[in-house]
Structure formats: C-alpha cells, structure tokens
Amino acid sequence: MIISKIYRWILAIFLIFIAIFYIDWGLLKDSFSSLHIEALLISQPVQVLLIFIVSCRLSILIQNNCNKIIIFFQAYILSIGLNTILPGRISEIVKVTYLKEWLNIPFTNSSVGVIVERLIDLLILISLILLGFGSLWLEFNQILMFATFFSFIILSLIFVSIYPDLICRFIDKFSFNKFKENLKNFVLRFQETIKSNGFIIAFLLSIFSWVGSYLMVYLILKIIYGSGISMNDTLIIFSALSLGRAIPGLPGGIGIYEAAIVISMEYLGFNFSESLATAITIHASQIIFVTLGSLFIFGKKGIGISFFIKKLRDKL
C-alpha cells in the first residue's frame, strides 16, 4: 500500500513536471477546434450504448433477471464515474455493493461476475497485443511475458472448471474458519459461472463491446481528421490507449492514457500538440457522461458501501 502511494505521488509529480516544462499550452489551445467538441458530443450516445452492453454482460454472468438491467446500468455508471477520482480499480467494488443493496444479489455472485468480466477483458487485451498491435511499443520479452500470462489465465480457468473440489479440499487445510466457507462458495460459484452458457454469451458481448469501443474512437478521429486517418491508424491508436488504460496509475488513468495515445499518434506522423488535444478529447468522451451520471446516482441512491459495512459487521 505504501509503495503504491509512493508510485502514484512520483507519477503525479512527473506529470506536473511534463505539463509545466514540456507542453506548449498556447499551441495546445490552438490545436483544439469546434471539431473536437463535435466529436465529443456525437460520441456520447455510443458510449451510453457500450455501457448498456457491458451491463447486460454482468447481468448474464451473475445469472440475474435482465428485467432489472437498469440497476446494473446504474452500478456500471457509478463504477466508471468514480474511477475518475479513485486510483486503480477500487471503484469495481461499487458494483458489488450497489447490486447487493438494490437487488440483494449475494456478494459472492456479484464478486465472481465482476472478476470474470475483468478476466475476459484482459484476455481480449492480451490477444490484441499478441496479434501484433502492441509490437510498436513493446519489446519481444514483454510480448513473451504477456503470452505466458495469457496461457496462465486460460489454464487457471480450465483447472477451476474441472477441479473445484480439489481446490476446496486445499482450502479446508487452512485454519481461517471464518472465511473458509465463503472462499469455497466463491470457487464453486466461479466454476458454475465459467461453465454456464452465459459465459459464452458474455464473451461474445465483450468482443462486441471492444469492437464498439474501437468504432467509437474511429468516429472521433474521423470527425476531427476526416480522410487524414484510416481504420488501420485507429487500430494502432486504440491498442495503445487500451494498454494505457490497463496500467494502474492516477484516478481515471489520467496522464498514462493520454501518453499512450500521444506516443501512437506521433508514431503515425501527428505532432505533439494535436496528438495531446485528440487524446484529451478521446479521454473526455469516456468520462464526462459517466462522471456526471455517477454524481447524480450517488446523490440520489448512494453506492451501497454503508450497507456493505453493516453486513460485514453482522457476519463478524
């Protein structure tokens, strides 16, 4: 925890240093135009549709009634919105607490659903890298590391799906009786989820949402640059921002996200200022609606943390 805080402070200081001494703010301001605002606004309906799709995915993984999809949608809005002010992926917990309070979904079920969807996204991201779209900024040994990690995830999923009883017997050997049953229930629920038909549907929805995210970035770039940008160029930029988004850092991925886009765009021949203006526009398109929406939901319904703490105290 202390190392993580030090890392974030160093990153923040480094970004401030870059902002003060490297960025030409006048040139950056001139790089913005009405096209950036137009792209930002037009992309918002696509963003809402993509959030709705991943909300359906989570509902399917939890095997819950999709008639309550609006609650899943709200949980997703809260999680993504709060990610702009919380570091790492802490805001993922909000999905679990919110679904427990408003749909009374057991913590085990929702936790498994959230972890499985993150694993699916991670597999898709690594697949992009292994297909060569990350080779511009990754060394061979780093790509090999991703391949090893990809194989480890796949083998782990297969092992859990085939040998859950073996894992449960291993858990029984530990002495922490209070959480032993919860952990075994988690393993059994995990196995049930990845062996269900819903897992296949969720995987397909994930691919659809990733393609949709790519098309959203392409839409933004096409509005700003017109014929000056191609789908192949967009794929390079999209793979870069996906990698940047996956790296834990400051809240909302601020700094790393923009840096990843700028690096890829400079590689394609764009200058620094216009690349940064575009990076800010793309990032803003993904956080403005959800941040405002999350603040509204938070003010009206909360996030379920107090409910979660109360339940946890009752169990202890």
Side-chain angles (χ1 to χ4, degrees), residues 133-177:
F133 301 120
S135 59
L136 298 176
W137 36 82
L138 292 176
E139 301 293 335
F140 175 77
N141 59 336
Q142 293 172 318
I143 295 176
L144 185 61
M145 179 190 69
F146 277 110
T148 303
F149 191 38
F150 182 89
S151 302
F152 174 77
I153 294 174
I154 294 295
L155 291 174
S156 297
L157 291 174
I158 294 173
F159 185 82
V160 173
S161 66
I162 298 176
Y163 302 110
D165 294 337
L166 181 63
I167 299 172
C168 289
R169 287 199 297 271
F170 178 75
I171 294 172
D172 279 330
K173 295 180 179 179
F174 291 97
S175 58
F176 45 88
N177 294 323

mmCIF file of all heavy atoms in Angstrom, residues 133-177:
data_model
loop_
_atom_site.group_PDB
_atom_site.id
_atom_site.type_symbol
_atom_site.label_atom_id
_atom_site.label_comp_id
_atom_site.label_asym_id
_atom_site.label_seq_id
_atom_site.Cartn_x
_atom_site.Cartn_y
_atom_site.Cartn_z
ATOM 1 N N PHE A 133 -0.486 -5.786 -32.409
ATOM 2 C CA PHE A 133 -0.833 -4.378 -32.320
ATOM 3 C C PHE A 133 -0.116 -3.657 -31.179
ATOM 4 O O PHE A 133 -0.217 -2.446 -31.051
ATOM 5 C CB PHE A 133 -2.346 -4.212 -32.174
ATOM 6 C CG PHE A 133 -3.105 -4.818 -33.319
ATOM 7 C CD1 PHE A 133 -4.025 -5.823 -33.109
ATOM 8 C CD2 PHE A 133 -2.864 -4.396 -34.616
ATOM 9 C CE1 PHE A 133 -4.710 -6.393 -34.172
ATOM 10 C CE2 PHE A 133 -3.551 -4.962 -35.682
ATOM 11 C CZ PHE A 133 -4.475 -5.960 -35.455
ATOM 12 N N GLY A 134 0.594 -4.427 -30.343
ATOM 13 C CA GLY A 134 1.375 -3.791 -29.294
ATOM 14 C C GLY A 134 2.863 -3.843 -29.562
ATOM 15 O O GLY A 134 3.666 -3.387 -28.763
ATOM 16 N N SER A 135 3.236 -4.379 -30.711
ATOM 17 C CA SER A 135 4.653 -4.584 -31.002
ATOM 18 C C SER A 135 5.412 -3.286 -31.254
ATOM 19 O O SER A 135 6.636 -3.273 -31.255
ATOM 20 C CB SER A 135 4.803 -5.503 -32.221
ATOM 21 O OG SER A 135 4.167 -4.927 -33.351
ATOM 22 N N LEU A 136 4.674 -2.189 -31.468
ATOM 23 C CA LEU A 136 5.331 -0.912 -31.737
ATOM 24 C C LEU A 136 5.991 -0.348 -30.489
ATOM 25 O O LEU A 136 6.955 0.399 -30.566
ATOM 26 C CB LEU A 136 4.316 0.102 -32.285
ATOM 27 C CG LEU A 136 3.651 -0.276 -33.619
ATOM 28 C CD1 LEU A 136 2.604 0.755 -33.989
ATOM 29 C CD2 LEU A 136 4.696 -0.383 -34.715
ATOM 30 N N TRP A 137 5.437 -0.657 -29.305
ATOM 31 C CA TRP A 137 5.983 -0.094 -28.070
ATOM 32 C C TRP A 137 6.344 -1.148 -27.031
ATOM 33 O O TRP A 137 6.600 -0.832 -25.888
ATOM 34 C CB TRP A 137 4.988 0.901 -27.462
ATOM 35 C CG TRP A 137 3.572 0.479 -27.647
ATOM 36 C CD1 TRP A 137 2.849 -0.402 -26.896
ATOM 37 C CD2 TRP A 137 2.706 0.906 -28.689
ATOM 38 N NE1 TRP A 137 1.601 -0.555 -27.408
ATOM 39 C CE2 TRP A 137 1.474 0.246 -28.515
ATOM 40 C CE3 TRP A 137 2.845 1.781 -29.771
ATOM 41 C CZ2 TRP A 137 0.397 0.449 -29.374
ATOM 42 C CZ3 TRP A 137 1.772 1.973 -30.607
ATOM 43 C CH2 TRP A 137 0.568 1.307 -30.408
ATOM 44 N N LEU A 138 6.348 -2.419 -27.440
ATOM 45 C CA LEU A 138 6.731 -3.481 -26.519
ATOM 46 C C LEU A 138 7.894 -4.281 -27.094
ATOM 47 O O LEU A 138 7.945 -4.546 -28.297
ATOM 48 C CB LEU A 138 5.543 -4.421 -26.261
ATOM 49 C CG LEU A 138 4.361 -3.852 -25.470
ATOM 50 C CD1 LEU A 138 3.254 -4.889 -25.407
ATOM 51 C CD2 LEU A 138 4.770 -3.434 -24.078
ATOM 52 N N GLU A 139 8.819 -4.641 -26.227
ATOM 53 C CA GLU A 139 9.921 -5.498 -26.636
ATOM 54 C C GLU A 139 9.453 -6.957 -26.719
ATOM 55 O O GLU A 139 8.397 -7.317 -26.183
ATOM 56 C CB GLU A 139 11.076 -5.393 -25.630
ATOM 57 C CG GLU A 139 11.630 -3.989 -25.458
ATOM 58 C CD GLU A 139 12.326 -3.486 -26.711
ATOM 59 O OE1 GLU A 139 12.792 -4.344 -27.504
ATOM 60 O OE2 GLU A 139 12.396 -2.256 -26.909
ATOM 61 N N PHE A 140 10.265 -7.800 -27.375
ATOM 62 C CA PHE A 140 9.886 -9.204 -27.564
ATOM 63 C C PHE A 140 9.686 -9.913 -26.224
ATOM 64 O O PHE A 140 8.741 -10.693 -26.061
ATOM 65 C CB PHE A 140 10.954 -9.928 -28.387
ATOM 66 C CG PHE A 140 10.693 -11.414 -28.511
ATOM 67 C CD1 PHE A 140 9.727 -11.894 -29.382
ATOM 68 C CD2 PHE A 140 11.406 -12.320 -27.730
ATOM 69 C CE1 PHE A 140 9.483 -13.258 -29.489
ATOM 70 C CE2 PHE A 140 11.164 -13.683 -27.835
ATOM 71 C CZ PHE A 140 10.201 -14.149 -28.714
ATOM 72 N N ASN A 141 10.580 -9.640 -25.257
ATOM 73 C CA ASN A 141 10.462 -10.324 -23.958
ATOM 74 C C ASN A 141 9.200 -9.898 -23.217
ATOM 75 O O ASN A 141 8.616 -10.672 -22.464
ATOM 76 C CB ASN A 141 11.707 -10.071 -23.094
ATOM 77 C CG ASN A 141 11.932 -8.598 -22.820
ATOM 78 O OD1 ASN A 141 11.484 -7.756 -23.575
ATOM 79 N ND2 ASN A 141 12.644 -8.296 -21.750
ATOM 80 N N GLN A 142 8.747 -8.645 -23.461
ATOM 81 C CA GLN A 142 7.499 -8.192 -22.845
ATOM 82 C C GLN A 142 6.297 -8.884 -23.487
ATOM 83 O O GLN A 142 5.342 -9.267 -22.795
ATOM 84 C CB GLN A 142 7.377 -6.670 -22.973
ATOM 85 C CG GLN A 142 8.415 -5.901 -22.169
ATOM 86 C CD GLN A 142 8.387 -4.423 -22.460
ATOM 87 O OE1 GLN A 142 8.264 -3.992 -23.606
ATOM 88 N NE2 GLN A 142 8.509 -3.608 -21.417
ATOM 89 N N ILE A 143 6.344 -9.035 -24.803
ATOM 90 C CA ILE A 143 5.277 -9.757 -25.502
ATOM 91 C C ILE A 143 5.235 -11.212 -25.045
ATOM 92 O O ILE A 143 4.162 -11.797 -24.860
ATOM 93 C CB ILE A 143 5.476 -9.664 -27.029
ATOM 94 C CG1 ILE A 143 5.323 -8.204 -27.494
ATOM 95 C CG2 ILE A 143 4.486 -10.561 -27.765
ATOM 96 C CD1 ILE A 143 5.599 -7.987 -28.964
ATOM 97 N N LEU A 144 6.415 -11.796 -24.843
ATOM 98 C CA LEU A 144 6.504 -13.177 -24.344
ATOM 99 C C LEU A 144 5.897 -13.284 -22.949
ATOM 100 O O LEU A 144 5.220 -14.270 -22.623
ATOM 101 C CB LEU A 144 7.963 -13.622 -24.320
ATOM 102 C CG LEU A 144 8.226 -15.084 -23.939
ATOM 103 C CD1 LEU A 144 7.564 -16.028 -24.936
ATOM 104 C CD2 LEU A 144 9.724 -15.355 -23.877
ATOM 105 N N MET A 145 6.111 -12.247 -22.135
ATOM 106 C CA MET A 145 5.528 -12.223 -20.794
ATOM 107 C C MET A 145 4.000 -12.197 -20.872
ATOM 108 O O MET A 145 3.310 -12.909 -20.133
ATOM 109 C CB MET A 145 6.034 -10.994 -20.038
ATOM 110 C CG MET A 145 5.466 -10.851 -18.630
ATOM 111 S SD MET A 145 5.871 -9.253 -17.883
ATOM 112 C CE MET A 145 4.877 -8.133 -18.896
ATOM 113 N N PHE A 146 3.459 -11.394 -21.798
ATOM 114 C CA PHE A 146 2.006 -11.346 -21.986
ATOM 115 C C PHE A 146 1.473 -12.692 -22.454
ATOM 116 O O PHE A 146 0.396 -13.130 -22.031
ATOM 117 C CB PHE A 146 1.638 -10.243 -22.991
ATOM 118 C CG PHE A 146 1.557 -8.868 -22.398
ATOM 119 C CD1 PHE A 146 2.504 -7.913 -22.695
ATOM 120 C CD2 PHE A 146 0.521 -8.534 -21.541
ATOM 121 C CE1 PHE A 146 2.435 -6.644 -22.146
ATOM 122 C CE2 PHE A 146 0.432 -7.269 -20.990
ATOM 123 C CZ PHE A 146 1.395 -6.313 -21.295
ATOM 124 N N ALA A 147 2.226 -13.362 -23.337
ATOM 125 C CA ALA A 147 1.803 -14.676 -23.827
ATOM 126 C C ALA A 147 1.758 -15.688 -22.684
ATOM 127 O O ALA A 147 0.835 -16.508 -22.590
ATOM 128 C CB ALA A 147 2.756 -15.149 -24.927
ATOM 129 N N THR A 148 2.745 -15.617 -21.811
ATOM 130 C CA THR A 148 2.785 -16.504 -20.642
ATOM 131 C C THR A 148 1.609 -16.228 -19.714
ATOM 132 O O THR A 148 0.964 -17.157 -19.209
ATOM 133 C CB THR A 148 4.104 -16.316 -19.872
ATOM 134 O OG1 THR A 148 5.206 -16.551 -20.758
ATOM 135 C CG2 THR A 148 4.191 -17.276 -18.697
ATOM 136 N N PHE A 149 1.343 -14.952 -19.501
ATOM 137 C CA PHE A 149 0.230 -14.547 -18.637
ATOM 138 C C PHE A 149 -1.097 -15.005 -19.233
ATOM 139 O O PHE A 149 -1.988 -15.492 -18.523
ATOM 140 C CB PHE A 149 0.253 -13.034 -18.469
ATOM 141 C CG PHE A 149 -0.676 -12.517 -17.408
ATOM 142 C CD1 PHE A 149 -0.868 -13.199 -16.219
ATOM 143 C CD2 PHE A 149 -1.359 -11.329 -17.594
ATOM 144 C CE1 PHE A 149 -1.725 -12.727 -15.235
ATOM 145 C CE2 PHE A 149 -2.226 -10.844 -16.625
ATOM 146 C CZ PHE A 149 -2.409 -11.546 -15.446
ATOM 147 N N PHE A 150 -1.244 -14.862 -20.551
ATOM 148 C CA PHE A 150 -2.455 -15.301 -21.261
ATOM 149 C C PHE A 150 -2.664 -16.800 -21.058
ATOM 150 O O PHE A 150 -3.768 -17.253 -20.732
ATOM 151 C CB PHE A 150 -2.306 -14.974 -22.753
ATOM 152 C CG PHE A 150 -3.503 -15.334 -23.586
ATOM 153 C CD1 PHE A 150 -4.534 -14.428 -23.768
ATOM 154 C CD2 PHE A 150 -3.593 -16.580 -24.206
ATOM 155 C CE1 PHE A 150 -5.641 -14.760 -24.543
ATOM 156 C CE2 PHE A 150 -4.688 -16.922 -24.976
ATOM 157 C CZ PHE A 150 -5.714 -16.001 -25.147
ATOM 158 N N SER A 151 -1.596 -17.560 -21.233
ATOM 159 C CA SER A 151 -1.672 -19.017 -21.063
ATOM 160 C C SER A 151 -2.021 -19.387 -19.630
ATOM 161 O O SER A 151 -2.813 -20.307 -19.385
ATOM 162 C CB SER A 151 -0.336 -19.664 -21.446
ATOM 163 O OG SER A 151 0.012 -19.363 -22.771
ATOM 164 N N PHE A 152 -1.451 -18.645 -18.676
ATOM 165 C CA PHE A 152 -1.724 -18.912 -17.263
ATOM 166 C C PHE A 152 -3.208 -18.701 -16.943
ATOM 167 O O PHE A 152 -3.820 -19.510 -16.228
ATOM 168 C CB PHE A 152 -0.864 -18.003 -16.386
ATOM 169 C CG PHE A 152 -1.163 -18.101 -14.919
ATOM 170 C CD1 PHE A 152 -0.716 -19.177 -14.172
ATOM 171 C CD2 PHE A 152 -1.920 -17.116 -14.287
ATOM 172 C CE1 PHE A 152 -1.011 -19.276 -12.822
ATOM 173 C CE2 PHE A 152 -2.217 -17.209 -12.933
ATOM 174 C CZ PHE A 152 -1.757 -18.288 -12.202
ATOM 175 N N ILE A 153 -3.801 -17.623 -17.470
ATOM 176 C CA ILE A 153 -5.223 -17.348 -17.220
ATOM 177 C C ILE A 153 -6.090 -18.453 -17.803
ATOM 178 O O ILE A 153 -7.012 -18.954 -17.138
ATOM 179 C CB ILE A 153 -5.620 -15.980 -17.818
ATOM 180 C CG1 ILE A 153 -4.894 -14.840 -17.096
ATOM 181 C CG2 ILE A 153 -7.137 -15.775 -17.709
ATOM 182 C CD1 ILE A 153 -5.115 -13.480 -17.727
ATOM 183 N N ILE A 154 -5.802 -18.836 -19.046
ATOM 184 C CA ILE A 154 -6.585 -19.889 -19.702
ATOM 185 C C ILE A 154 -6.490 -21.204 -18.931
ATOM 186 O O ILE A 154 -7.513 -21.864 -18.661
ATOM 187 C CB ILE A 154 -6.102 -20.103 -21.153
ATOM 188 C CG1 ILE A 154 -6.378 -18.864 -22.015
ATOM 189 C CG2 ILE A 154 -6.781 -21.330 -21.764
ATOM 190 C CD1 ILE A 154 -7.828 -18.549 -22.202
ATOM 191 N N LEU A 155 -5.270 -21.585 -18.550
ATOM 192 C CA LEU A 155 -5.071 -22.842 -17.808
ATOM 193 C C LEU A 155 -5.746 -22.785 -16.440
ATOM 194 O O LEU A 155 -6.297 -23.794 -15.971
ATOM 195 C CB LEU A 155 -3.574 -23.131 -17.656
ATOM 196 C CG LEU A 155 -2.827 -23.497 -18.947
ATOM 197 C CD1 LEU A 155 -1.332 -23.622 -18.686
ATOM 198 C CD2 LEU A 155 -3.378 -24.803 -19.544
ATOM 199 N N SER A 156 -5.716 -21.617 -15.807
ATOM 200 C CA SER A 156 -6.361 -21.460 -14.498
ATOM 201 C C SER A 156 -7.872 -21.618 -14.622
ATOM 202 O O SER A 156 -8.510 -22.275 -13.777
ATOM 203 C CB SER A 156 -6.025 -20.087 -13.908
ATOM 204 O OG SER A 156 -4.642 -19.963 -13.666
ATOM 205 N N LEU A 157 -8.450 -21.032 -15.656
ATOM 206 C CA LEU A 157 -9.896 -21.163 -15.880
ATOM 207 C C LEU A 157 -10.271 -22.621 -16.125
ATOM 208 O O LEU A 157 -11.280 -23.111 -15.595
ATOM 209 C CB LEU A 157 -10.327 -20.297 -17.071
ATOM 210 C CG LEU A 157 -10.272 -18.777 -16.872
ATOM 211 C CD1 LEU A 157 -10.593 -18.059 -18.178
ATOM 212 C CD2 LEU A 157 -11.241 -18.337 -15.782
ATOM 213 N N ILE A 158 -9.459 -23.307 -16.910
ATOM 214 C CA ILE A 158 -9.718 -24.726 -17.181
ATOM 215 C C ILE A 158 -9.598 -25.548 -15.901
ATOM 216 O O ILE A 158 -10.438 -26.420 -15.619
ATOM 217 C CB ILE A 158 -8.735 -25.255 -18.254
ATOM 218 C CG1 ILE A 158 -9.001 -24.574 -19.598
ATOM 219 C CG2 ILE A 158 -8.858 -26.775 -18.392
ATOM 220 C CD1 ILE A 158 -7.980 -24.901 -20.665
ATOM 221 N N PHE A 159 -8.565 -25.269 -15.104
ATOM 222 C CA PHE A 159 -8.342 -26.015 -13.867
ATOM 223 C C PHE A 159 -9.506 -25.828 -12.890
ATOM 224 O O PHE A 159 -10.003 -26.806 -12.301
ATOM 225 C CB PHE A 159 -7.036 -25.558 -13.215
ATOM 226 C CG PHE A 159 -6.658 -26.343 -11.997
ATOM 227 C CD1 PHE A 159 -6.015 -27.567 -12.124
ATOM 228 C CD2 PHE A 159 -6.946 -25.862 -10.726
ATOM 229 C CE1 PHE A 159 -5.674 -28.307 -10.996
ATOM 230 C CE2 PHE A 159 -6.612 -26.589 -9.599
ATOM 231 C CZ PHE A 159 -5.976 -27.821 -9.735
ATOM 232 N N VAL A 160 -9.959 -24.577 -12.729
ATOM 233 C CA VAL A 160 -11.071 -24.308 -11.805
ATOM 234 C C VAL A 160 -12.346 -24.972 -12.292
ATOM 235 O O VAL A 160 -13.140 -25.494 -11.486
ATOM 236 C CB VAL A 160 -11.287 -22.787 -11.640
ATOM 237 C CG1 VAL A 160 -12.543 -22.512 -10.815
ATOM 238 C CG2 VAL A 160 -10.074 -22.151 -10.979
ATOM 239 N N SER A 161 -12.559 -24.981 -13.605
ATOM 240 C CA SER A 161 -13.783 -25.577 -14.146
ATOM 241 C C SER A 161 -13.804 -27.096 -14.004
ATOM 242 O O SER A 161 -14.868 -27.703 -13.918
ATOM 243 C CB SER A 161 -13.950 -25.197 -15.624
ATOM 244 O OG SER A 161 -12.919 -25.778 -16.412
ATOM 245 N N ILE A 162 -12.620 -27.721 -13.950
ATOM 246 C CA ILE A 162 -12.544 -29.193 -13.878
ATOM 247 C C ILE A 162 -12.351 -29.693 -12.442
ATOM 248 O O ILE A 162 -12.926 -30.716 -12.038
ATOM 249 C CB ILE A 162 -11.393 -29.717 -14.766
ATOM 250 C CG1 ILE A 162 -11.643 -29.357 -16.221
ATOM 251 C CG2 ILE A 162 -11.234 -31.233 -14.616
ATOM 252 C CD1 ILE A 162 -10.521 -29.748 -17.159
ATOM 253 N N TYR A 163 -11.557 -28.976 -11.642
ATOM 254 C CA TYR A 163 -11.179 -29.476 -10.315
ATOM 255 C C TYR A 163 -11.582 -28.526 -9.176
ATOM 256 O O TYR A 163 -10.750 -28.213 -8.318
ATOM 257 C CB TYR A 163 -9.672 -29.703 -10.257
ATOM 258 C CG TYR A 163 -9.153 -30.671 -11.285
ATOM 259 C CD1 TYR A 163 -8.367 -30.228 -12.340
ATOM 260 C CD2 TYR A 163 -9.443 -32.037 -11.192
ATOM 261 C CE1 TYR A 163 -7.871 -31.115 -13.286
ATOM 262 C CE2 TYR A 163 -8.957 -32.926 -12.141
ATOM 263 C CZ TYR A 163 -8.179 -32.468 -13.188
ATOM 264 O OH TYR A 163 -7.698 -33.344 -14.113
ATOM 265 N N PRO A 164 -12.821 -28.078 -9.110
ATOM 266 C CA PRO A 164 -13.215 -27.201 -7.998
ATOM 267 C C PRO A 164 -13.156 -27.913 -6.645
ATOM 268 O O PRO A 164 -12.815 -27.301 -5.623
ATOM 269 C CB PRO A 164 -14.648 -26.789 -8.349
ATOM 270 C CG PRO A 164 -15.151 -27.903 -9.208
ATOM 271 C CD PRO A 164 -13.964 -28.348 -10.001
ATOM 272 N N ASP A 165 -13.487 -29.210 -6.636
ATOM 273 C CA ASP A 165 -13.467 -29.975 -5.382
ATOM 274 C C ASP A 165 -12.050 -30.079 -4.825
ATOM 275 O O ASP A 165 -11.842 -30.030 -3.600
ATOM 276 C CB ASP A 165 -14.039 -31.378 -5.600
ATOM 277 C CG ASP A 165 -15.518 -31.344 -5.943
ATOM 278 O OD1 ASP A 165 -16.169 -30.341 -5.582
ATOM 279 O OD2 ASP A 165 -16.006 -32.296 -6.586
ATOM 280 N N LEU A 166 -11.089 -30.238 -5.707
ATOM 281 C CA LEU A 166 -9.686 -30.308 -5.283
ATOM 282 C C LEU A 166 -9.258 -28.988 -4.630
ATOM 283 O O LEU A 166 -8.573 -28.983 -3.602
ATOM 284 C CB LEU A 166 -8.799 -30.619 -6.486
ATOM 285 C CG LEU A 166 -7.294 -30.755 -6.218
ATOM 286 C CD1 LEU A 166 -7.032 -31.926 -5.272
ATOM 287 C CD2 LEU A 166 -6.545 -30.953 -7.532
ATOM 288 N N ILE A 167 -9.691 -27.885 -5.215
ATOM 289 C CA ILE A 167 -9.362 -26.568 -4.658
ATOM 290 C C ILE A 167 -10.030 -26.394 -3.296
ATOM 291 O O ILE A 167 -9.424 -25.876 -2.353
ATOM 292 C CB ILE A 167 -9.804 -25.445 -5.625
ATOM 293 C CG1 ILE A 167 -9.058 -25.588 -6.955
ATOM 294 C CG2 ILE A 167 -9.536 -24.074 -5.019
ATOM 295 C CD1 ILE A 167 -9.552 -24.644 -8.035
ATOM 296 N N CYS A 168 -11.265 -26.851 -3.195
ATOM 297 C CA CYS A 168 -11.993 -26.734 -1.919
ATOM 298 C C CYS A 168 -11.329 -27.573 -0.826
ATOM 299 O O CYS A 168 -11.268 -27.150 0.336
ATOM 300 C CB CYS A 168 -13.456 -27.155 -2.103
ATOM 301 S SG CYS A 168 -14.435 -25.972 -3.051
ATOM 302 N N ARG A 169 -10.848 -28.752 -1.180
ATOM 303 C CA ARG A 169 -10.148 -29.583 -0.192
ATOM 304 C C ARG A 169 -8.854 -28.903 0.253
ATOM 305 O O ARG A 169 -8.453 -29.014 1.421
ATOM 306 C CB ARG A 169 -9.858 -30.972 -0.778
ATOM 307 C CG ARG A 169 -11.086 -31.858 -0.908
ATOM 308 C CD ARG A 169 -10.705 -33.332 -1.035
ATOM 309 N NE ARG A 169 -9.922 -33.591 -2.240
ATOM 310 C CZ ARG A 169 -10.458 -33.901 -3.415
ATOM 311 N NH1 ARG A 169 -11.783 -33.972 -3.549
ATOM 312 N NH2 ARG A 169 -9.683 -34.126 -4.459
ATOM 313 N N PHE A 170 -8.201 -28.239 -0.667
ATOM 314 C CA PHE A 170 -6.992 -27.491 -0.325
ATOM 315 C C PHE A 170 -7.324 -26.344 0.634
ATOM 316 O O PHE A 170 -6.590 -26.102 1.601
ATOM 317 C CB PHE A 170 -6.351 -26.945 -1.608
ATOM 318 C CG PHE A 170 -5.131 -26.107 -1.372
ATOM 319 C CD1 PHE A 170 -3.921 -26.688 -1.018
ATOM 320 C CD2 PHE A 170 -5.199 -24.729 -1.486
ATOM 321 C CE1 PHE A 170 -2.798 -25.913 -0.793
ATOM 322 C CE2 PHE A 170 -4.075 -23.942 -1.270
ATOM 323 C CZ PHE A 170 -2.870 -24.536 -0.914
ATOM 324 N N ILE A 171 -8.438 -25.682 0.401
ATOM 325 C CA ILE A 171 -8.873 -24.586 1.277
ATOM 326 C C ILE A 171 -9.166 -25.100 2.675
ATOM 327 O O ILE A 171 -8.901 -24.426 3.677
ATOM 328 C CB ILE A 171 -10.112 -23.877 0.675
ATOM 329 C CG1 ILE A 171 -9.729 -23.162 -0.627
ATOM 330 C CG2 ILE A 171 -10.707 -22.880 1.670
ATOM 331 C CD1 ILE A 171 -10.907 -22.608 -1.395
ATOM 332 N N ASP A 172 -9.725 -26.302 2.762
ATOM 333 C CA ASP A 172 -10.067 -26.897 4.062
ATOM 334 C C ASP A 172 -8.849 -27.080 4.966
ATOM 335 O O ASP A 172 -8.985 -27.190 6.194
ATOM 336 C CB ASP A 172 -10.753 -28.254 3.857
ATOM 337 C CG ASP A 172 -12.224 -28.097 3.525
ATOM 338 O OD1 ASP A 172 -12.825 -27.104 3.993
ATOM 339 O OD2 ASP A 172 -12.755 -28.947 2.785
ATOM 340 N N LYS A 173 -7.671 -27.114 4.388
ATOM 341 C CA LYS A 173 -6.459 -27.313 5.174
ATOM 342 C C LYS A 173 -6.036 -26.057 5.935
ATOM 343 O O LYS A 173 -5.219 -26.133 6.853
ATOM 344 C CB LYS A 173 -5.312 -27.765 4.274
ATOM 345 C CG LYS A 173 -5.545 -29.143 3.640
ATOM 346 C CD LYS A 173 -4.381 -29.559 2.758
ATOM 347 C CE LYS A 173 -4.613 -30.939 2.155
ATOM 348 N NZ LYS A 173 -3.486 -31.359 1.277
ATOM 349 N N PHE A 174 -6.598 -24.916 5.541
ATOM 350 C CA PHE A 174 -6.249 -23.675 6.233
ATOM 351 C C PHE A 174 -7.048 -23.538 7.519
ATOM 352 O O PHE A 174 -8.079 -24.175 7.714
ATOM 353 C CB PHE A 174 -6.494 -22.467 5.323
ATOM 354 C CG PHE A 174 -5.546 -22.388 4.157
ATOM 355 C CD1 PHE A 174 -5.909 -22.875 2.905
ATOM 356 C CD2 PHE A 174 -4.282 -21.844 4.312
ATOM 357 C CE1 PHE A 174 -5.040 -22.811 1.832
ATOM 358 C CE2 PHE A 174 -3.403 -21.775 3.248
ATOM 359 C CZ PHE A 174 -3.777 -22.262 2.008
ATOM 360 N N SER A 175 -6.584 -22.641 8.387
ATOM 361 C CA SER A 175 -7.193 -22.514 9.719
ATOM 362 C C SER A 175 -8.172 -21.345 9.843
ATOM 363 O O SER A 175 -8.835 -21.211 10.862
ATOM 364 C CB SER A 175 -6.084 -22.341 10.773
ATOM 365 O OG SER A 175 -5.290 -21.207 10.469
ATOM 366 N N PHE A 176 -8.263 -20.490 8.842
ATOM 367 C CA PHE A 176 -9.146 -19.316 8.958
ATOM 368 C C PHE A 176 -10.607 -19.742 8.735
ATOM 369 O O PHE A 176 -11.184 -19.561 7.679
ATOM 370 C CB PHE A 176 -8.740 -18.207 7.977
ATOM 371 C CG PHE A 176 -8.436 -18.681 6.584
ATOM 372 C CD1 PHE A 176 -9.438 -18.787 5.629
ATOM 373 C CD2 PHE A 176 -7.143 -19.021 6.229
ATOM 374 C CE1 PHE A 176 -9.161 -19.221 4.348
ATOM 375 C CE2 PHE A 176 -6.855 -19.453 4.944
ATOM 376 C CZ PHE A 176 -7.867 -19.559 3.999
ATOM 377 N N ASN A 177 -11.214 -20.253 9.787
ATOM 378 C CA ASN A 177 -12.554 -20.833 9.689
ATOM 379 C C ASN A 177 -13.632 -19.833 9.284
ATOM 380 O O ASN A 177 -14.610 -20.194 8.640
ATOM 381 C CB ASN A 177 -12.930 -21.480 11.030
ATOM 382 C CG ASN A 177 -12.035 -22.675 11.342
ATOM 383 O OD1 ASN A 177 -11.672 -23.422 10.448
ATOM 384 N ND2 ASN A 177 -11.663 -22.828 12.604
#
